[in-house]
Amino acid sequence: MVFEVMKVPTTPFEGQKPGTSGLRKKVKVFVQPHYLQNFVQATFNALTPEKVKGATLVVSGDGRYFSKDAVQMSAANGVRRVWVGQNGLLSTPAVSAVIRERVGADGSKATGAFILTASHNPGGPNEDFGIKYNMENGGPAPEALTDKIFENTKTIKEYLIADELREVDISKIGVTNFSGPDGPFDVEVFDSASDYVKLMRSIFDFELIRKLLSSPKFTFCYDALHGVAGAYANRIFVEELGAQQSSLLNCTPKEDFGGGHPDPNLTYAKELVERMGLGKSNSGVEPPEFGAAADGDADRNMILGKRFFVTPSDSVAIIAANAVGAIPYFSSGLKGVA
């Protein structure tokens, strides 16, 4: 297929200065004419040419409402290929893993990523949307780059776009080839979970965890709050670790997070809180031994025990205290904790 690049005249917009969490606004702001396009173009204009021309970029996110437009602008700016998680789903940690670990069939590696997420904020037509850029090391853009992006939003006069890329079906795994002014351009839709599961296997002792989950003395519940963590939960917990499907709660990713607020805390993770015996009602059912929830883009969590809440600082402390002996990735020593 052939695509044409269009130069669309636009006017500057002075959005908020993007931080490590990127640009986050209500959907009604992003759907304004040229708003998203201006920010994406301002980001491309802030990157060095080698990070754009002929480069490989990852474009995916937590699947929230209004997540389907950034691929078009990648092609128009001379990017060689774009990797998209199936259905546009990749958690923020998984995006980092794909940037660092994934190698294309031709030996290509990603130089960065656009992550489409507003983190733990609610989604839907009247809720939040966000976009941020991660670097070649998998980490968020440093302040020097976000400063450039912000300054570019004040002076931008046009953006580049290729409408033909709307034809790509991101629900189907495979490669779609295009021909454009800068040469060939590919959109590769890949299994959202495979790279991340591979990384998890290298970090944790899956066999030891499998033994724990098979013990009749141990029960657990995992709540994805209808966020992107649901794209990994069945693959990791059920297929890899042998847990029961009934251990998973709200693990179907939804554009509006099922009408809920994907923030893993005692206020918003109501179903998990009830199941763990911390709610006001008493169902008479024995709670699981362990519970956990993730936010919309799966980069923060909440840990619960039977009828008690583990504060985040305590959960990090427990991990740090046991990391060297229990987590293969840290077998040579723990260098820092955040």
Side-chain angles (χ1 to χ4, degrees):
M1 287 186 277
V2 177
F3 70 83
E4 295 182 3
V5 173
M6 294 185 294
K7 292 185 178 182
V8 181
T10 188
T11 54
F13 82 104
E14 194 166 332
Q16 71 190 58
K17 178 184 172 183
T20 57
S21 294
L23 181 67
R24 186 182 301 165
K25 297 280 188 180
K26 292 294 184 185
V27 168
K28 64 183 180 182
V29 175
F30 271 101
V31 300
Q32 294 177 97
H34 314 307
Y35 192 91
L36 173 64
Q37 292 86 345
N38 275 9
F39 181 76
V40 174
Q41 189 64 57
T43 303
F44 276 122
N45 293 348
L47 296 170
T48 57
E50 62 269 19
K51 300 270 179 65
V52 180
K53 299 296 182 182
T56 298
L57 286 181
V58 183
V59 181
S60 286
D62 60 18
R64 69 179 54 240
Y65 183 84
F66 194 62
S67 288
K68 313 259 167 134
D69 290 293
V71 174
Q72 297 164 267
M73 298 186 65
S74 302
N77 279 272
V79 171
R80 172 62 181 83
R81 64 185 63 78
V82 167
W83 291 341
V84 182
Q86 189 174 18
N87 295 310
L89 295 173
L90 282 176
S91 71
T92 294
V95 169
S96 294
V98 168
I99 293 172
R100 294 195 311 269
E101 306 288 337
R102 193 169 198 269
V103 180
D106 59 355
S108 55
K109 296 254 315 179
T111 60
F114 283 98
I115 308 178
L116 311 175
T117 179
S119 189
H120 52 283
N121 291 339
N126 299 311
E127 299 296 349
D128 295 345
F129 183 76
I131 182 169
K132 59 184 177 180
Y133 187 82
N134 271 28
M135 305 295 285
E136 67 273 10
N137 64 356
E143 189 172 7
L145 181 61
T146 58
D147 284 345
K148 285 183 182 179
I149 296 170
F150 182 52
E151 291 304 315
N152 287 345
T153 66
K154 301 177 185 179
T155 58
I156 188 170
K157 294 179 180 173
E158 66 180 17
Y159 60 82
L160 308 177
I161 197 163
D163 271 338
E164 293 84 353
L165 297 177
R166 292 182 186 274
E167 300 172 23
V168 178
D169 184 354
I170 61 173
S171 69
K172 296 180 180 178
I173 292 174
V175 181
T176 305
N177 307 111
F178 293 89
S179 178
D182 292 305
F185 172 78
D186 301 329
V187 178
E188 181 177 351
V189 180
F190 64 97
D191 178 7
S192 299
S194 57
D195 293 279
Y196 191 63
V197 172
K198 180 181 176 182
L199 179 63
M200 292 300 100
R201 281 201 213 99
S202 73
I203 294 175
F204 299 101
D205 188 333
F206 269 33
E207 190 54 40
L208 202 58
I209 299 172
R210 176 184 282 274
K211 289 179 181 178
L212 173 66
L213 298 188
S214 67
S215 169
K217 296 181 180 180
F218 184 83
T219 50
F220 86 104
C221 180
Y222 182 77
D223 189 349
L225 298 176
H226 288 301
V228 72
Y232 309 96
N234 189 74
R235 181 78 67 84
I236 292 176
F237 291 122
V238 178
E239 295 181 20
E240 293 281 337
L241 299 174
Q244 297 296 313
Q245 188 75 46
S246 57
S247 300
L248 306 183
L249 189 63
N250 300 319
C251 283
T252 300
K254 295 184 178 180
E255 287 188 335
D256 65 349
F257 305 106
H261 195 133
D263 194 349
N265 59 43
L266 294 173
T267 299
Y268 295 119
K270 295 177 182 177
E271 288 185 70
L272 179 64
V273 168
E274 287 288 339
R275 188 174 289 194
M276 296 304 299
L278 289 169
K280 295 179 180 178
S281 63
N282 184 6
S283 65
V285 178
E286 189 70 7
E289 299 294 328
F290 181 88
D295 73 332
D297 65 329
D299 63 357
R300 66 170 68 188
N301 61 51
M302 174 174 71
I303 303 297
L304 299 170
K306 182 190 291 186
R307 300 189 181 94
F308 70 91
F309 167 66
V310 183
T311 67
S313 55
D314 281 350
S315 67
V316 171
I318 293 167
I319 293 170
N322 295 277
V324 174
I327 304 174
Y329 184 81
F330 296 116
S331 60
S332 62
L334 191 66
K335 295 180 175 62
V337 176

